[in-house]
Amino acid sequence: MYPVVLLIGRLPHVIGNVALQLDHLPIEWLGAHDHAEVVRQLENEPRIACVIMGAGLDDDIRGDLIGIIASLRPDVCIHLKDRTSGPDGLVPFVERVVQQELLPQSDRIAMAG
């Protein structure tokens, strides 16, 4: 079984595009773009290994979601993308987090080669 990553972003198609661009990684991708969807994913998928949140969400919403994630799943790391790198920085950010946090060393070496 692959690790499960919950991607949270402002627009649903952005999350789908990230998963498509990173489909070469041994990861199962879930997406959410609002409060209710985040709660539903966290409550229904116990295998979520980490959450990656894009920068397009308003700070108040990001803060709210961080609180929800931390209260529902204190075992899950939350990664927040910076705003400076813009929308084009999302895929490289997600790939970096996944490779450093979730994939075993042997998988990272094989993908680099």
Side-chain angles (χ1 to χ4, degrees), residues 10-87:
R10 188 168 57 92
L11 302 172
H13 72 276
V14 172
I15 299 307
N17 289 340
V18 171
L20 283 175
Q21 290 181 54
L22 298 177
D23 68 351
H24 62 282
L25 296 173
I27 297 292
E28 183 177 330
W29 304 101
L30 295 177
H33 66 276
D34 63 25
H35 180 105
E37 214 169 9
V38 169
V39 170
R40 185 177 56 78
Q41 296 284 24
L42 292 171
E43 290 179 342
N44 292 325
E45 182 50 77
R47 297 180 307 121
I48 292 173
C50 77
V51 173
I52 301 175
M53 192 178 307
L57 297 168
D58 175 87
D59 282 342
D60 290 337
I61 294 170
R62 281 169 56 131
D64 177 55
L65 292 175
I66 291 167
I68 290 165
I69 296 162
S71 67
L72 290 175
R73 293 290 304 277
D75 59 311
V76 172
C77 288
I78 304 166
H79 301 273
L80 301 175
K81 185 198 160 293
D82 68 288
R83 289 201 167 104
T84 306
S85 63

Side-chain angles (χ1 to χ4, degrees), residues 101-112:
E101 298 289 326
L102 299 179
L103 298 182
Q105 181 72 21
S106 58
D107 286 349
R108 289 193 301 246
I109 292 169
M111 284 182 208

